[in-house]
Amino acid sequence: MTFPVVGMVGGGQLARMTHEAGIPLGIRFKLLSDTPQDSAAQVVNEVVVGDYRDLDTLRAFARGCDVITFDHEHVPTEHLRALEADGIPVRPGPDALVHAQDKGVMRARLDAIGVPCPRHRIVADPADVAAFAAEGDGFPVVLKTVRGGYDGKGVWVVDSVEEAEAPFRAGVPVLAEEKVDFVRELAANVVRSPHGQAVAYPVVESQQVDGVCDTVIAPAPDLDESLALHAEEMALRIAKELDVVGHLAVELFQTRDGRVLVNELAMRPHNSGHWTMDGAVTSQFANHVRAVLDLPLGDPRPRAPWTVMVNVLGGDYPDMYSAYLHCMARDPQLKIHMYGKDVKPGRKVGHVNTYGDHLDDVLERARHAAGYLRGTITE
Amino acid sequence: MTFPVVGMVGGGQLARMTHEAGIPLGIRFKLLSDTPQDSAAQVVNEVVVGDYRDLDTLRAFARGCDVITFDHEHVPTEHLRALEADGIPVRPGPDALVHAQDKGVMRARLDAIGVPCPRHRIVADPADVAAFAAEGDGFPVVLKTVRGGYDGKGVWVVDSVEEAEAPFRAGVPVLAEEKVDFVRELAANVVRSPHGQAVAYPVVESQQVDGVCDTVIAPAPDLDESLALHAEEMALRIAKELDVVGHLAVELFQTRDGRVLVNELAMRPHNSGHWTMDGAVTSQFANHVRAVLDLPLGDPRPRAPWTVMVNVLGGDYPDMYSAYLHCMARDPQLKIHMYGKDVKPGRKVGHVNTYGDHLDDVLERARHAAGYLRGTITE
């Protein structure tokens, strides 16, 4: 058999769902996981438990893999270069991935290729933040550590020079950004292969609660067609210019004055693309696998007029399984995706997808199910 | 966590695809597999390698499982009773499963509940076959070993008393059946849960080549609506009367005079239901898992006007992966499902699904892809 071996670094839910999507292709899937209990490690046959920050561990894992890809963006760049030097394809490669790891590098590069971003600058200390504020419309200002943040962590919205002290305490570089006056958040998701083929999923609306993605609506309702096309083209251009391989999520602000600005980049399957599992001809996970194997990409178009994804966060009830009875009986079309994680308050432990012809109905069904699973709805 | 553990006996492709469908539910999936290389064993985390014919092995496997279900129908009835005596739910249970294991028992039961079957009778020797033939329209007559046959194995079509000797050589009971004058084969697939809920998939047309399923068209084209409903009701009634839990495939002959007769029963996910993976709201595998866990069943309705499944059999080219480039580039909507099996001529190693609005197009795409993967089309 000549079927390839895909090695995935990281045992989270993205790896779990990538494995699920890879099974039909008949490929072998190897996992490097922090623990044997990680979300993906529960469902994959070939699991290596080890620390991705240790080069020897990574190298031993990569031996026998035809390609290495990622559940997260935390593998040190120098390790990725070492794997490449060993002759292992790393997709996305370190030169692309750094833009998803370092917000300073990302902003500089997007500026250079003319992609619109919020006003921004690396700042040295609270006084510099005050200067940055004064250069624009004043406070509030958004401060971000250039590395390591996600789901609202490593991000501060500060209203004064005093409040600007906290981000500097860790001693890591800090990026200041204008607080964008946005009407909503969008995401443009694309997948690109090494030989340069790329596909764009419809632009979606992403609703955050407390800095964490809560609801995704595909396609984004009432989005001007030219703006949607502009966002898709922008994401495709970023993927090409940065030589991304695999899935690229471009998180966007839609501003009150009708522009789109890039908020964040993620170079892996992304929460804003989970709707594709049940709502698109080819899911983001299936296309990510195809891309890292340099196979032709699958059709990214939607299968229904509307698809809605709502995240299931951990709540006060640890027993989500008992909620299945109600949720499945109420909605036989409901798609539940649980990650095998212990329930902790606020932790993403799963998501639900619904699809159909009428957005109101599709949205209500997804929200009800997610709320019932979490325990905030008990009807 | 209170998520249950499903134990599946048998490591074939049905187990592989059941695992794939179970991942989103967050359940644990344990496999009892003949070898570590079996189709499902390659993709499941918790694999026990052992012989399902050995009761101690089965018992040890079942310990810690919340329910036991099957990739095949070969587990001895007395072993299943022993597991039940140990307090492990076995789904489908031994009293149901025997009807899929023993064609003599199946025919007697279907007669008793008034379900139409081909004329049939257990025969003792070749002379008895001649008598059976004389009672009807004469030869040819179909002879089947009552246990152990599948995919045309254990089945003979005999034209004379001399040809009727072979089936008796094994010394096992033989069932004689009239050779039905059928216009095509159909399959009515239903899923039933322990609390009695049942769903019916649309009746499909199943085309065989050399006794092996080749193409399935969902729904069966030009099928009279009342006959379709009659077939669905018949399958639901069989499921209820036989107390089936899980997926039940009822293979049917559509006769020239407009009746449907039951050919075979299978109590597990079935080749005639593979189209549901991409063509139905809820796949047969997802509904089988729900059923054995006594969860509410998912919507069985189709997502597209037409879905076609074509099996990929092993041919002369062992390297199917290299055919992906052509197949995926030619048809970005193509769904490939490969089982991780070594290619041997005539062996089922995968299937493809296509769906869309126009049957001709959907059929052509599936046949082209399957032929190209097999190596019989090289355009």
Short mmCIF file of all heavy atoms in Angstrom, two decimals, chain B residues 112-161:
data_model
loop_
_atom_site.label_atom_id
_atom_site.label_comp_id
_atom_site.label_asym_id
_atom_site.label_seq_id
_atom_site.Cartn_x
_atom_site.Cartn_y
_atom_site.Cartn_z
N ALA B 112 -44.17 -17.37 9.11
CA ALA B 112 -45.10 -17.32 10.24
C ALA B 112 -45.74 -15.95 10.40
O ALA B 112 -46.90 -15.83 10.81
CB ALA B 112 -44.37 -17.71 11.54
N ILE B 113 -44.99 -14.89 10.06
CA ILE B 113 -45.57 -13.54 10.22
C ILE B 113 -46.13 -13.03 8.89
O ILE B 113 -46.52 -11.86 8.78
CB ILE B 113 -44.57 -12.54 10.84
CG1 ILE B 113 -43.36 -12.29 9.92
CG2 ILE B 113 -44.11 -13.00 12.21
CD1 ILE B 113 -42.43 -11.19 10.42
N GLY B 114 -46.16 -13.89 7.88
CA GLY B 114 -46.84 -13.53 6.64
C GLY B 114 -46.07 -12.60 5.72
O GLY B 114 -46.66 -11.88 4.92
N VAL B 115 -44.74 -12.59 5.85
CA VAL B 115 -43.93 -11.77 4.95
C VAL B 115 -43.59 -12.60 3.71
O VAL B 115 -43.08 -13.71 3.83
CB VAL B 115 -42.63 -11.31 5.65
CG1 VAL B 115 -41.64 -10.72 4.64
CG2 VAL B 115 -42.95 -10.28 6.73
N PRO B 116 -43.85 -12.07 2.51
CA PRO B 116 -43.65 -12.86 1.30
C PRO B 116 -42.18 -13.15 1.00
O PRO B 116 -41.34 -12.25 1.03
CB PRO B 116 -44.27 -11.99 0.19
CG PRO B 116 -44.29 -10.61 0.74
CD PRO B 116 -44.41 -10.73 2.23
N CYS B 117 -41.90 -14.43 0.74
CA CYS B 117 -40.54 -14.88 0.43
C CYS B 117 -40.62 -15.72 -0.85
O CYS B 117 -41.70 -16.15 -1.25
CB CYS B 117 -40.01 -15.76 1.56
SG CYS B 117 -39.77 -14.90 3.13
N PRO B 118 -39.49 -15.98 -1.48
CA PRO B 118 -39.48 -16.97 -2.55
C PRO B 118 -39.94 -18.32 -1.97
O PRO B 118 -39.72 -18.60 -0.79
CB PRO B 118 -38.01 -17.04 -2.97
CG PRO B 118 -37.39 -15.77 -2.45
CD PRO B 118 -38.15 -15.42 -1.22
N ARG B 119 -40.56 -19.16 -2.82
CA ARG B 119 -40.89 -20.51 -2.40
C ARG B 119 -39.62 -21.20 -1.93
O ARG B 119 -38.56 -21.03 -2.55
CB ARG B 119 -41.49 -21.27 -3.59
CG ARG B 119 -42.11 -22.63 -3.23
CD ARG B 119 -42.83 -23.23 -4.45
NE ARG B 119 -41.88 -23.66 -5.48
CZ ARG B 119 -41.27 -24.84 -5.51
NH1 ARG B 119 -41.50 -25.73 -4.56
NH2 ARG B 119 -40.44 -25.15 -6.49
N HIS B 120 -39.69 -21.94 -0.82
CA HIS B 120 -38.46 -22.44 -0.21
C HIS B 120 -38.75 -23.66 0.65
O HIS B 120 -39.91 -23.88 1.06
CB HIS B 120 -37.82 -21.36 0.65
CG HIS B 120 -38.72 -20.94 1.77
ND1 HIS B 120 -38.74 -21.57 2.99
CD2 HIS B 120 -39.68 -20.00 1.83
CE1 HIS B 120 -39.66 -21.01 3.76
NE2 HIS B 120 -40.25 -20.05 3.08
N ARG B 121 -37.72 -24.41 0.95
CA ARG B 121 -37.85 -25.55 1.87
C ARG B 121 -36.46 -26.10 2.14
O ARG B 121 -35.58 -26.05 1.28
CB ARG B 121 -38.79 -26.56 1.22
CG ARG B 121 -38.62 -28.00 1.52
CD ARG B 121 -39.92 -28.73 1.25
NE ARG B 121 -39.92 -29.46 -0.04
CZ ARG B 121 -39.13 -30.50 -0.30
NH1 ARG B 121 -38.24 -30.92 0.57
NH2 ARG B 121 -39.22 -31.13 -1.46
N ILE B 122 -36.25 -26.58 3.35
CA ILE B 122 -35.00 -27.27 3.68
C ILE B 122 -34.98 -28.58 2.91
O ILE B 122 -35.99 -29.30 2.91
CB ILE B 122 -34.88 -27.53 5.20
CG1 ILE B 122 -34.85 -26.21 5.97
CG2 ILE B 122 -33.65 -28.39 5.51
CD1 ILE B 122 -33.57 -25.42 5.88
N VAL B 123 -33.87 -28.88 2.25
CA VAL B 123 -33.79 -30.10 1.44
C VAL B 123 -32.71 -31.02 2.01
O VAL B 123 -31.70 -30.55 2.56
CB VAL B 123 -33.51 -29.78 -0.05
CG1 VAL B 123 -34.77 -29.27 -0.73
CG2 VAL B 123 -32.37 -28.77 -0.19
N ALA B 124 -32.94 -32.31 1.83
CA ALA B 124 -32.09 -33.30 2.50
C ALA B 124 -30.95 -33.80 1.63
O ALA B 124 -29.87 -34.15 2.13
CB ALA B 124 -32.95 -34.49 2.95
N ASP B 125 -31.21 -33.86 0.32
CA ASP B 125 -30.21 -34.42 -0.59
C ASP B 125 -30.59 -34.02 -2.02
O ASP B 125 -31.65 -33.40 -2.23
CB ASP B 125 -30.14 -35.94 -0.43
CG ASP B 125 -31.52 -36.59 -0.56
OD1 ASP B 125 -32.34 -36.09 -1.38
OD2 ASP B 125 -31.78 -37.56 0.18
N PRO B 126 -29.76 -34.38 -3.02
CA PRO B 126 -30.07 -33.98 -4.39
C PRO B 126 -31.44 -34.47 -4.87
O PRO B 126 -32.14 -33.73 -5.58
CB PRO B 126 -28.92 -34.60 -5.19
CG PRO B 126 -27.78 -34.62 -4.23
CD PRO B 126 -28.39 -34.95 -2.91
N ALA B 127 -31.84 -35.65 -4.46
CA ALA B 127 -33.15 -36.16 -4.88
C ALA B 127 -34.26 -35.27 -4.35
O ALA B 127 -35.26 -34.99 -5.03
CB ALA B 127 -33.33 -37.60 -4.40
N ASP B 128 -34.07 -34.80 -3.12
CA ASP B 128 -35.05 -33.89 -2.51
C ASP B 128 -35.09 -32.56 -3.26
O ASP B 128 -36.14 -31.93 -3.39
CB ASP B 128 -34.67 -33.68 -1.03
CG ASP B 128 -35.85 -33.18 -0.21
OD1 ASP B 128 -36.99 -33.24 -0.70
OD2 ASP B 128 -35.61 -32.72 0.93
N VAL B 129 -33.92 -32.13 -3.78
CA VAL B 129 -33.87 -30.90 -4.59
C VAL B 129 -34.71 -31.10 -5.85
O VAL B 129 -35.49 -30.21 -6.25
CB VAL B 129 -32.42 -30.54 -4.97
CG1 VAL B 129 -32.40 -29.34 -5.92
CG2 VAL B 129 -31.60 -30.24 -3.72
N ALA B 130 -34.57 -32.29 -6.46
CA ALA B 130 -35.36 -32.58 -7.66
C ALA B 130 -36.85 -32.55 -7.34
O ALA B 130 -37.67 -32.03 -8.12
CB ALA B 130 -34.96 -33.94 -8.22
N ALA B 131 -37.22 -33.08 -6.17
CA ALA B 131 -38.62 -33.06 -5.76
C ALA B 131 -39.10 -31.63 -5.56
O ALA B 131 -40.19 -31.25 -6.00
CB ALA B 131 -38.78 -33.86 -4.46
N PHE B 132 -38.24 -30.80 -4.90
CA PHE B 132 -38.58 -29.39 -4.70
C PHE B 132 -38.80 -28.70 -6.04
O PHE B 132 -39.74 -27.92 -6.22
CB PHE B 132 -37.45 -28.69 -3.91
CG PHE B 132 -37.65 -27.21 -3.77
CD1 PHE B 132 -38.47 -26.71 -2.76
CD2 PHE B 132 -37.04 -26.31 -4.64
CE1 PHE B 132 -38.67 -25.34 -2.63
CE2 PHE B 132 -37.23 -24.95 -4.50
CZ PHE B 132 -38.05 -24.46 -3.50
N ALA B 133 -37.91 -29.00 -7.02
CA ALA B 133 -38.03 -28.39 -8.34
C ALA B 133 -39.35 -28.80 -8.98
O ALA B 133 -40.07 -27.96 -9.54
CB ALA B 133 -36.84 -28.80 -9.22
N ALA B 134 -39.68 -30.09 -8.85
CA ALA B 134 -40.89 -30.61 -9.48
C ALA B 134 -42.16 -30.02 -8.88
O ALA B 134 -43.18 -29.87 -9.55
CB ALA B 134 -40.91 -32.14 -9.37
N GLU B 135 -42.07 -29.65 -7.57
CA GLU B 135 -43.24 -29.03 -6.91
C GLU B 135 -43.55 -27.64 -7.49
O GLU B 135 -44.65 -27.13 -7.34
CB GLU B 135 -42.96 -28.87 -5.41
CG GLU B 135 -42.97 -30.19 -4.65
CD GLU B 135 -42.19 -30.08 -3.33
OE1 GLU B 135 -41.98 -28.95 -2.82
OE2 GLU B 135 -41.78 -31.14 -2.80
N GLY B 136 -42.52 -27.03 -8.16
CA GLY B 136 -42.72 -25.70 -8.73
C GLY B 136 -42.54 -25.73 -10.24
O GLY B 136 -43.07 -26.61 -10.91
N ASP B 137 -41.75 -24.77 -10.73
CA ASP B 137 -41.56 -24.66 -12.17
C ASP B 137 -40.35 -25.44 -12.65
O ASP B 137 -39.84 -25.19 -13.75
CB ASP B 137 -41.41 -23.18 -12.57
CG ASP B 137 -42.68 -22.40 -12.26
OD1 ASP B 137 -43.76 -23.02 -12.27
OD2 ASP B 137 -42.58 -21.18 -11.98
N GLY B 138 -39.81 -26.34 -11.81
CA GLY B 138 -38.63 -27.12 -12.22
C GLY B 138 -37.34 -26.35 -11.99
O GLY B 138 -37.32 -25.33 -11.29
N PHE B 139 -36.26 -26.86 -12.56
CA PHE B 139 -34.98 -26.18 -12.45
C PHE B 139 -35.00 -24.92 -13.30
O PHE B 139 -35.82 -24.84 -14.24
CB PHE B 139 -33.86 -27.14 -12.92
CG PHE B 139 -33.56 -28.22 -11.92
CD1 PHE B 139 -34.08 -29.51 -12.08
CD2 PHE B 139 -32.77 -27.96 -10.82
CE1 PHE B 139 -33.82 -30.51 -11.16
CE2 PHE B 139 -32.48 -28.96 -9.89
CZ PHE B 139 -33.02 -30.25 -10.07
N PRO B 140 -34.10 -23.94 -13.07
CA PRO B 140 -33.09 -23.92 -12.01
C PRO B 140 -33.67 -23.72 -10.61
O PRO B 140 -34.76 -23.16 -10.45
CB PRO B 140 -32.22 -22.72 -12.39
CG PRO B 140 -33.11 -21.84 -13.19
CD PRO B 140 -34.06 -22.75 -13.92
N VAL B 141 -32.88 -24.14 -9.64
CA VAL B 141 -33.23 -23.96 -8.23
C VAL B 141 -32.03 -23.30 -7.54
O VAL B 141 -30.88 -23.57 -7.91
CB VAL B 141 -33.56 -25.34 -7.58
CG1 VAL B 141 -33.53 -25.26 -6.07
CG2 VAL B 141 -34.90 -25.86 -8.07
N VAL B 142 -32.32 -22.47 -6.57
CA VAL B 142 -31.24 -21.83 -5.80
C VAL B 142 -31.02 -22.64 -4.52
O VAL B 142 -31.98 -22.93 -3.81
CB VAL B 142 -31.58 -20.37 -5.45
CG1 VAL B 142 -30.45 -19.74 -4.63
CG2 VAL B 142 -31.84 -19.57 -6.71
N LEU B 143 -29.78 -23.02 -4.26
CA LEU B 143 -29.45 -23.74 -3.03
C LEU B 143 -28.52 -22.87 -2.18
O LEU B 143 -27.61 -22.23 -2.69
CB LEU B 143 -28.77 -25.07 -3.35
CG LEU B 143 -29.63 -26.06 -4.16
CD1 LEU B 143 -28.83 -27.32 -4.47
CD2 LEU B 143 -30.91 -26.41 -3.40
N LYS B 144 -28.80 -22.85 -0.89
CA LYS B 144 -27.99 -22.03 0.03
C LYS B 144 -27.69 -22.84 1.28
O LYS B 144 -28.58 -23.49 1.81
CB LYS B 144 -28.76 -20.76 0.45
CG LYS B 144 -29.17 -19.84 -0.66
CD LYS B 144 -30.05 -18.71 -0.12
CE LYS B 144 -30.32 -17.66 -1.19
NZ LYS B 144 -31.20 -16.58 -0.70
N THR B 145 -26.46 -22.78 1.74
CA THR B 145 -26.20 -23.30 3.08
C THR B 145 -26.92 -22.37 4.04
O THR B 145 -26.93 -21.15 3.85
CB THR B 145 -24.70 -23.32 3.40
OG1 THR B 145 -24.17 -22.01 3.20
CG2 THR B 145 -23.96 -24.27 2.46
N VAL B 146 -27.54 -22.94 5.06
CA VAL B 146 -28.36 -22.08 5.93
C VAL B 146 -27.52 -21.12 6.77
O VAL B 146 -28.00 -20.09 7.21
CB VAL B 146 -29.31 -22.89 6.86
CG1 VAL B 146 -30.31 -23.67 6.05
CG2 VAL B 146 -28.54 -23.78 7.79
N ARG B 147 -26.24 -21.47 6.96
CA ARG B 147 -25.36 -20.59 7.75
C ARG B 147 -24.08 -20.27 6.97
O ARG B 147 -23.61 -21.08 6.19
CB ARG B 147 -24.96 -21.24 9.08
CG ARG B 147 -26.09 -21.18 10.12
CD ARG B 147 -25.65 -21.74 11.47
NE ARG B 147 -26.68 -21.57 12.47
CZ ARG B 147 -26.63 -20.62 13.44
NH1 ARG B 147 -25.62 -19.81 13.54
NH2 ARG B 147 -27.61 -20.53 14.31
N GLY B 148 -23.56 -19.07 7.19
CA GLY B 148 -22.18 -18.78 6.77
C GLY B 148 -22.00 -18.16 5.41
O GLY B 148 -20.89 -17.78 5.06
N GLY B 149 -23.04 -18.05 4.60
CA GLY B 149 -22.85 -17.49 3.27
C GLY B 149 -22.88 -15.97 3.26
O GLY B 149 -23.49 -15.35 4.12
N TYR B 150 -22.21 -15.35 2.31
CA TYR B 150 -22.31 -13.91 2.09
C TYR B 150 -21.68 -13.61 0.73
O TYR B 150 -20.84 -14.37 0.24
CB TYR B 150 -21.62 -13.09 3.19
CG TYR B 150 -20.13 -13.21 3.16
CD1 TYR B 150 -19.32 -12.22 2.58
CD2 TYR B 150 -19.51 -14.33 3.68
CE1 TYR B 150 -17.95 -12.37 2.54
CE2 TYR B 150 -18.15 -14.48 3.62
CZ TYR B 150 -17.36 -13.49 3.06
OH TYR B 150 -16.01 -13.64 3.00
N ASP B 151 -22.11 -12.47 0.12
CA ASP B 151 -21.55 -12.03 -1.15
C ASP B 151 -21.48 -13.16 -2.18
O ASP B 151 -20.49 -13.32 -2.90
CB ASP B 151 -20.15 -11.45 -0.96
CG ASP B 151 -20.20 -10.01 -0.46
OD1 ASP B 151 -21.32 -9.45 -0.33
OD2 ASP B 151 -19.13 -9.44 -0.19
N GLY B 152 -22.53 -13.95 -2.25
CA GLY B 152 -22.57 -15.00 -3.28
C GLY B 152 -21.90 -16.30 -2.85
O GLY B 152 -22.03 -17.32 -3.52
N LYS B 153 -21.16 -16.26 -1.72
CA LYS B 153 -20.55 -17.49 -1.23
C LYS B 153 -21.61 -18.31 -0.49
O LYS B 153 -22.48 -17.75 0.17
CB LYS B 153 -19.38 -17.18 -0.30
CG LYS B 153 -18.22 -16.52 -1.04
CD LYS B 153 -17.15 -16.01 -0.10
CE LYS B 153 -16.06 -15.26 -0.86
NZ LYS B 153 -16.58 -13.96 -1.42
N GLY B 154 -21.56 -19.64 -0.62
CA GLY B 154 -22.57 -20.48 0.01
C GLY B 154 -23.88 -20.47 -0.75
O GLY B 154 -24.91 -20.86 -0.21
N VAL B 155 -23.85 -19.99 -1.98
CA VAL B 155 -25.06 -19.96 -2.82
C VAL B 155 -24.75 -20.62 -4.16
O VAL B 155 -23.71 -20.35 -4.77
CB VAL B 155 -25.54 -18.52 -3.06
CG1 VAL B 155 -26.77 -18.51 -3.99
CG2 VAL B 155 -25.88 -17.83 -1.74
N TRP B 156 -25.65 -21.52 -4.60
CA TRP B 156 -25.50 -22.19 -5.90
C TRP B 156 -26.81 -22.05 -6.67
O TRP B 156 -27.89 -22.19 -6.08
CB TRP B 156 -25.22 -23.69 -5.71
CG TRP B 156 -23.92 -24.03 -5.05
CD1 TRP B 156 -22.77 -24.42 -5.66
CD2 TRP B 156 -23.64 -24.04 -3.64
NE1 TRP B 156 -21.78 -24.66 -4.74
CE2 TRP B 156 -22.29 -24.44 -3.48
CE3 TRP B 156 -24.39 -23.74 -2.50
CZ2 TRP B 156 -21.68 -24.56 -2.23
CZ3 TRP B 156 -23.79 -23.85 -1.25
CH2 TRP B 156 -22.45 -24.25 -1.13
N VAL B 157 -26.69 -21.81 -7.96
CA VAL B 157 -27.87 -21.90 -8.82
C VAL B 157 -27.68 -23.16 -9.65
O VAL B 157 -26.72 -23.26 -10.43
CB VAL B 157 -27.99 -20.66 -9.73
CG1 VAL B 157 -29.24 -20.77 -10.61
CG2 VAL B 157 -28.05 -19.40 -8.89
N VAL B 158 -28.54 -24.15 -9.44
CA VAL B 158 -28.32 -25.45 -10.08
C VAL B 158 -29.42 -25.75 -11.11
O VAL B 158 -30.58 -25.40 -10.91
CB VAL B 158 -28.24 -26.59 -9.04
CG1 VAL B 158 -27.10 -26.30 -8.07
CG2 VAL B 158 -29.54 -26.77 -8.29
N ASP B 159 -28.99 -26.39 -12.19
CA ASP B 159 -29.89 -26.66 -13.31
C ASP B 159 -30.32 -28.13 -13.40
O ASP B 159 -31.08 -28.48 -14.29
CB ASP B 159 -29.21 -26.26 -14.63
CG ASP B 159 -29.26 -24.76 -14.85
OD1 ASP B 159 -30.36 -24.17 -14.68
OD2 ASP B 159 -28.21 -24.16 -15.13
N SER B 160 -29.77 -28.96 -12.51
CA SER B 160 -30.07 -30.39 -12.60
C SER B 160 -29.78 -31.05 -11.26
O SER B 160 -29.12 -30.46 -10.39
CB SER B 160 -29.19 -31.04 -13.67
OG SER B 160 -27.83 -30.98 -13.24
N VAL B 161 -30.26 -32.27 -11.12
CA VAL B 161 -30.04 -33.02 -9.89
C VAL B 161 -28.55 -33.31 -9.70
O VAL B 161 -28.04 -33.33 -8.57
CB VAL B 161 -30.91 -34.29 -9.86
CG1 VAL B 161 -30.47 -35.28 -10.94
CG2 VAL B 161 -30.89 -34.95 -8.48
#
